[in-house]
Amino acid sequence: MTQVLDLVGIFVFALSGALVGVRRRLDVVGMAVLASMTALGGGILRDLILDARPVAFTSVGYVVVPLAATVIVFFWHPHVLRVMPVVNVFDAAGLGLFCAVGTEKAMNAGFSPLHAVLLGVITAVGGGVLRDVLSGQVPILLYDRQFYAVPALLGSALMAALHVADLRGWPATLAAAVLTFGLRIAAVRFRLQAPLARGVAAQE
Amino acid sequence: MTQVLDLVGIFVFALSGALVGVRRRLDVVGMAVLASMTALGGGILRDLILDARPVAFTSVGYVVVPLAATVIVFFWHPHVLRVMPVVNVFDAAGLGLFCAVGTEKAMNAGFSPLHAVLLGVITAVGGGVLRDVLSGQVPILLYDRQFYAVPALLGSALMAALHVADLRGWPATLAAAVLTFGLRIAAVRFRLQAPLARGVAAQE
Amino acid sequence: MTQVLDLVGIFVFALSGALVGVRRRLDVVGMAVLASMTALGGGILRDLILDARPVAFTSVGYVVVPLAATVIVFFWHPHVLRVMPVVNVFDAAGLGLFCAVGTEKAMNAGFSPLHAVLLGVITAVGGGVLRDVLSGQVPILLYDRQFYAVPALLGSALMAALHVADLRGWPATLAAAVLTFGLRIAAVRFRLQAPLARGVAAQE
């Protein structure tokens, strides 16, 4: 169950990467690179920091799913764009799952709750940051004022708290993922905005 | 023999990095950083993923050769530009060698053939991607439609297949490197182009 | 003592990251990301290469101090800008300390002096490079012709030489840090400039 959700998250993140590739008029190689980095980059960073072999290099699905997303976007990107609202809902679900899994792995590796939360957030948002850096843009995460990292932070914090309270396994993962998902959807729905530094005017 | 070829590959990759530094009017520090990252970045990424000490931090030649390339480009860059067609031939040879060595190391570390091929490609193209990101450009690999990653992919696949068939050692490395080299040269010669997503017009 | 200086260095590097965030009109999330990456990025790269758990993921101070710097810049960035000359002096001190500590850790891990020096420089300048890449700029280090990496290089070389001569502990760290600090301050004071490649005109 978690594994299926995991691959769905990978798939949706890869779609977003491949679509950036289309928008920037990259060729098929660039699309595949962006799709893979968006989907796998966060987990690779996490596993390098945990000093573990990156999951992306042990699982067949992690290699094949981003390539499948690339093929779909290559041929049918106008249709994918049309269903983006649905894709964004799945993206929020992937965000929740990835931060919960990242936090859990870090706790199991003996990280303190504080650092496990940090690593959970990196797992969830790292791929998107790498996607933007590779496509020559300032990472959207840094300026768009949407709450994306903050839901992941709170979901990771819940995961760490449950782990400390000895509540583990899939119910904990589910709770953390659902909290992240709900906060993210609420932030989009109610157009919540992260503040700029005092006295800085919003960009037009 | 492989070691000499390896240092030649490092040298040629470093030349390309230092030349980008000249074109972007970087100072000598920037030239040295770009030369080193282009030459060593792919191997460092490979070794971090393999959880090995990066070769760049164990070999004297790996530090000295990029600095030598920087000095040469610093004083004689117009001459280096004039012999770029020759440099590009060596670059194709370095591409072949690096993907073969990267794939072999990954197979020896117990990676599956699929993941070993992936790591071989990262070894071969990672340095150039880091060079472009550091010099503030979208990586050429992602948009220029030249076949650069694809020859490395096919060479890595040959290497992995030979390894599975228990054909190892320098003849296998040579075969994979020569295949990559030949495909790369043929792609340049016949101006083969990677496709853009369906319906996307080429940039002028 | 070293630990206090270390956190002061982290704090000052984080201030510079958060200030770039203000200048680029990033939101508070972007400011916190840039502050943390500037302060911790060099050490994380060092520890990944050393195959050690990154210190940033074991110390509470390393997480809290960059966030404190973010809060200060968020509310009082005009005042921070006014005291930048003081901040720059502390930045030079942080540069000295980080390269000395990085070189020492590498020597203790069995790296050769040459490679330990290289890793010392990466520790000292890596965070600033990541800050600039994440904020969509060519790293200042590569083009601004100020001597920033070179003092770190010479300080790291002194640290490695003292280590080889069996002079270790805090006096060695202090000597290397003071040398780096002095060279950096002198370079700023006397407006020393790194050269461009022969025949390349300076940018206006």
Side-chain angles (χ1 to χ4, degrees), chain A residues 48-49 51 109-111 114-115 118-119 122 129 133 138-139 141-145 149 194-198 200-201 203, chain C residues 22 24-31 33-34 48 51 53-54 56-60 63 74-77 133-136:
Chain A
L48 288 179
I49 291 169
D51 207 8
F111 278 47
L114 175 70
H115 296 102
L118 187 58
L119 203 57
I122 290 172
V129 168
V133 167
V138 176
L141 185 81
L142 302 189
Y143 67 85
D144 82 342
R145 310 185 61 188
L196 300 174
R198 194 157 70 168
V200 173
Q203 279 174 297
Chain C
V22 172
R24 308 274 297 177
R25 290 177 163 191
L26 305 185
D27 62 32
V28 67
V29 171
M31 290 172 63
V33 170
L34 282 195
L48 288 179
D51 206 9
R53 178 167 297 183
F57 289 90
T58 60
S59 148
V60 173
V63 176
F74 186 88
F75 286 111
W76 300 288
H77 51 94
V133 167
L134 282 176
S135 60

Side-chain angles (χ1 to χ4, degrees), chain B residues 14 17-18 22 24 42 45 50 56 64 80 89-90 111 122 134 163 169 186 191 198 204:
Chain B
V22 172
R24 309 273 298 178
L45 289 177
L50 286 175
V64 172
V80 176
V89 170
F90 282 106
F111 278 48
I122 289 172
L134 282 177
H163 196 277
R191 300 174 186 278
R198 193 157 69 170
E204 297 310 300

Side-chain angles (χ1 to χ4, degrees), chain B residues 109-180:
Chain B
F111 278 48
S112 80
L114 175 70
H115 297 102
V117 167
L118 187 59
L119 203 56
V121 175
I122 289 172
T123 308
V125 308
V129 168
L130 288 173
R131 174 198 63 208
D132 295 339
V133 167
L134 282 177
S135 60
Q137 301 174 292
V138 177
I140 295 173
L141 186 81
L142 302 190
Y143 67 84
D144 82 342
R145 310 185 61 188
Q146 286 191 30
F147 281 103
Y148 193 82
V150 173
L153 182 69
L154 296 173
S156 293
L158 176 60
M159 189 74 189
L162 292 174
H163 196 277
V164 169
D166 242 346
L167 295 163
R168 303 180 187 180
W170 68 262
T173 306
L174 188 71
V178 166
L179 176 67
T180 305

Side-chain angles (χ1 to χ4, degrees), chain A residues 18-43:
Chain A
L19 282 171
V20 169
V22 172
R23 199 162 59 234
R24 308 274 298 176
R25 289 175 163 194
L26 305 185
D27 61 32
V28 67
V29 171
M31 290 172 62
V33 170
L34 283 196
S36 303
M37 288 304 296
T38 310
L40 309 176

Side-chain angles (χ1 to χ4, degrees), chain C residues 9 28 45-47 56 58 60 108 113 142 168 174 184-185:
Chain C
V28 67
L45 290 176
R46 175 198 65 207
D47 292 337
T58 60
V60 173
N108 287 338
L142 302 189
R168 303 181 188 180
L174 188 70
R184 169 66 184 152
I185 296 291

